[in-house]
Amino acid sequence: MKMLKRKFIKKAFHNKIPTHWDIVNLSEVVFFQEGPGLRNWQFTKEGMKVINVTNLENGILNLDKTDRHISLREFQEKYKHFEVELNDIVMASSGATYCKTAIVREQDLPLMMNTSVIRFQPNDNLTLGYLKSFLGSSFFKDQIDFLITGGAQPNFGPVHLKQSYIPSPPLKEQQKIADILSQWDEAIETTQNLINKLKFRKKGLMQELLTGKKRLAGFTEGWKKMNIGDVATQFTDKNKDDESIEVLSCTKYDGLVPSLEYFGRKVYGDDLSKYKIVPRNYFAYATNHIEEGSIGYQDIWDKGLVSPMYTVFKTNDSIDDSFFFRLLKTERMIYAYQSNMSGSIARRGGLRWNVFETLIVKIPSYIEQVAIANVFDKVDEEIDTASKHLESLQQQKKGLMQQLLTGQKRVKTD
């Protein structure tokens, strides 16, 4: 079976690349190593930093997302050979981010990898830039997808890499290809940095404008302290007639989204008669999973459906929903959700409406609510514009990679 796969992949490459390019097994030109299977009990607050798949972000390592370390003593005694080096390419080998790569920079070190992370180093027959481009291409990912079988989620390792092939042009051509693609990488990184700055600015504004610490010009009236139940009521209508309505799921960052789109498969049954209806301009949250701020606002469909385990509610006319939705996503409110779910009894039942409605909020006048919401609408518009530009750059690079890495588009090396 393995031989058939090798022949299949090799034949696919020969049908696309120039005749003077070599096709080599990845293990012949690349050193790769899989991380160890560290356990949660081994992690400490200080010591050697440990990366996992969540740290791989748009071609670089985002170490702000890790607080995992192991003691220096344990590292020296057991795991020193898993330490990554400058310019190593690290890749996620499982989960939703599998095949996502990043380059190890000097500011990232010292560092070691964890399970589900593989590091790569090219030998003298391959340039670093070319290898980075190839590993980040759909060409490589297609091979991995072909080689892995079974499992609830993608998962690959050295056994699959040893069956993978890489087209290998002359070194000068490799370098030129890498140089061209690096220009796109720079544009992508610049745009991603802009998005990060806009999101950071938005987070700061949320802490100031949504708490009353900073006021917009012209507003001096005090904010009123009240319970959520003073401005909102629960909605419990169900899909009794079993209508064909879009089933939604609530996510931490994107709010309510189509369940099929989010999970990539159907996770609900055929009988939807007990599912709750979420009309347009209503809120919903997963009663048992609100502690991270997973609340959604339904403003796309006339009606949507959510699991019976969700809570649905509607605000009254004193509330601007755009303002209120953002208020419910602040760190202060998330802390309130977590605090009210911390008891064993509450945890079993989640944050039900009878508790949720008692949570205290501070609300300005309706006019000020609208003004604050408008500020965030403009920030969100900037983020959306930059995100669309980023997506466009990524698609353009993807198309260029397909041409350059197969030789369909040739480069001049003179």
Side-chain angles (χ1 to χ4, degrees):
M1 182 64 178
K2 291 181 180 178
M3 185 59 67
L4 287 175
K5 288 181 177 180
R6 287 194 181 101
K7 288 182 178 179
F8 178 87
I9 293 170
K10 209 166 184 180
K11 181 179 179 181
F13 276 125
H14 273 303
N15 288 339
K16 293 184 177 181
I17 72 169
T19 55
H20 74 283
W21 285 22
D22 289 331
I23 302 170
V24 295
N25 188 278
L26 197 64
S27 61
E28 295 176 14
V29 289
V30 178
F31 163 79
F32 42 81
Q33 180 189 30
E34 190 173 31
L38 298 177
R39 306 302 181 197
N40 286 333
W41 59 266
Q42 292 178 274
F43 294 127
T44 59
K45 292 184 178 180
E46 296 181 345
M48 173 61 72
K49 287 183 292 185
V50 179
I51 59 170
N52 57 30
V53 295
T54 60
N55 300 121
L56 277 67
E57 187 175 278
N58 298 306
I60 62 172
L61 285 171
N62 182 354
L63 298 179
D64 294 334
K65 291 187 175 181
T66 186
D67 57 357
R68 292 186 169 187
H69 302 75
I70 66 167
S71 69
L72 292 177
R73 179 178 177 180
E74 188 170 16
F75 167 73
Q76 292 289 346
E77 292 178 352
K78 300 179 182 179
Y79 301 110
K80 188 169 177 57
H81 57 294
F82 292 109
E83 183 174 10
V84 298
E85 300 175 10
L86 180 66
N87 292 327
D88 275 358
I89 302 170
V90 288
M91 174 181 288
S93 62
S94 69
T97 60
Y98 81 108
C99 287
K100 183 174 284 189
T101 62
I103 289 283
V104 178
R105 303 160 299 176
E106 190 169 357
Q107 60 263 41
D108 299 326
L109 300 174
L111 195 63
M112 70 165 284
M113 54 187 178
N114 194 7
T115 185
S116 299
V117 175
I118 298 175
R119 69 168 174 151
F120 298 80
Q121 295 174 341
N123 66 17
D124 293 339
N125 296 310
L126 216 60
T127 67
L128 177 67
Y130 180 80
L131 176 60
K132 175 179 176 289
S133 297
F134 177 75
L135 292 177
S137 71
S138 58
F139 234 164
F140 172 76
K141 189 171 181 292
D142 287 346
Q143 283 193 79
I144 294 299
D145 287 341
F146 182 77
L147 290 166
I148 58 179
T149 56
Q153 62 180 8
N155 191 346
F156 69 93
V159 66
H160 303 101
L161 295 173
K162 289 175 183 177
Q163 301 175 63
S164 302
Y165 286 81
I166 179 171
S168 178
L171 284 173
K172 285 187 178 179
E173 202 164 348
Q174 288 184 34
Q175 188 60 54
K176 187 65 177 179
I177 290 171
D179 289 344
I180 293 172
L181 292 174
S182 70
Q183 296 175 22
W184 292 90
D185 288 334
E186 289 175 9
I188 288 170
E189 184 176 354
T190 298
T191 306
Q192 183 62 61
N193 288 337
L194 172 61
I195 293 171
N196 292 341
K197 288 179 181 178
L198 290 170
K199 288 182 176 180
F200 183 77
R201 176 190 167 210
K202 179 183 176 181
K203 184 176 180 180
L205 286 173
M206 288 181 72
Q207 297 305 314
E208 294 179 331
L209 293 180
L210 295 173
T211 60
K213 291 180 180 179
K214 181 177 182 179
R215 305 292 294 275
L216 296 177
F219 294 100
T220 58
E221 183 181 344
W223 289 29
K224 295 180 180 179
K225 187 179 290 187
M226 59 187 71
N227 301 116
I228 288 178
D230 294 329
V231 296
T233 53
Q234 187 179 19
F235 184 78
T236 59
D237 284 10
K238 296 182 179 179
N239 185 32
K240 296 177 182 178
D241 297 329
D242 200 17
E243 294 181 59
S244 179
I245 303 173
E246 187 81 58
V247 177
L248 309 176
S249 292
C250 193
T251 66
K252 179 179 177 181
Y253 296 108
D254 299 321
L256 292 168
V257 297
S259 180
L260 283 173
E261 177 183 303
Y262 181 67
F263 289 103
R265 58 190 176 89
K266 187 177 178 182
V267 296
Y268 49 88
D270 294 327
D271 182 6
L272 301 176
S273 61
K274 294 181 180 179
Y275 271 54
K276 292 181 180 178
I277 295 174
V278 190
R280 188 187 297 273
N281 300 330
Y282 280 58
F283 293 82
Y285 67 86
T287 309
N288 291 346
H289 301 287
I290 191 179
E291 67 273 14
E292 291 186 344
S294 298
I295 296 180
Y297 183 67
Q298 208 287 87
D299 60 352
I300 298 177
W301 302 271
D302 289 335
K303 287 189 294 186
L305 291 182
V306 291
S307 161
M309 295 303 296
Y310 275 61
T311 297
V312 182
F313 64 95
K314 177 76 172 76
T315 58
N316 62 31
D317 292 340
S318 70
I319 296 297
D320 175 76
D321 285 346
S322 182
F323 166 85
F324 199 65
F325 176 61
R326 292 175 170 112
L327 177 65
L328 294 177
K329 306 280 277 188
T330 59
E331 290 182 0
R332 189 190 75 81
M333 292 305 300
I334 291 173
Y335 177 76
Y337 309 146
Q338 293 169 347
S339 299
N340 282 275
M341 291 181 72
S342 60
S344 59
I345 295 176
R347 172 63 70 180
R348 283 199 299 270
L351 191 59
R352 296 182 180 275
W353 177 255
N354 65 333
V355 177
F356 183 81
E357 69 171 340
T358 66
L359 299 182
I360 296 173
V361 290
K362 289 175 65 178
I363 305 292
S365 68
Y366 185 83
I367 296 176
E368 188 172 358
Q369 291 177 46
V370 173
I372 292 172
N374 287 339
V375 171
F376 286 106
D377 286 343
K378 290 178 182 177
V379 175
D380 285 340
E381 186 177 341
E382 290 181 77
I383 294 174
D384 184 58
T385 299
S387 298
K388 287 179 179 177
H389 181 56
L390 176 64
E391 185 177 349
S392 176
L393 288 172
Q394 291 170 333
Q395 288 299 318
Q396 291 171 33
K397 181 192 172 186
K398 182 179 179 180
L400 188 58
M401 287 171 74
Q402 289 289 349
Q403 294 178 314
L404 292 176
L405 295 175
T406 60
Q408 295 175 41
K409 185 180 182 70
R410 302 302 301 279
V411 297
K412 295 181 179 180
T413 57
D414 298 335

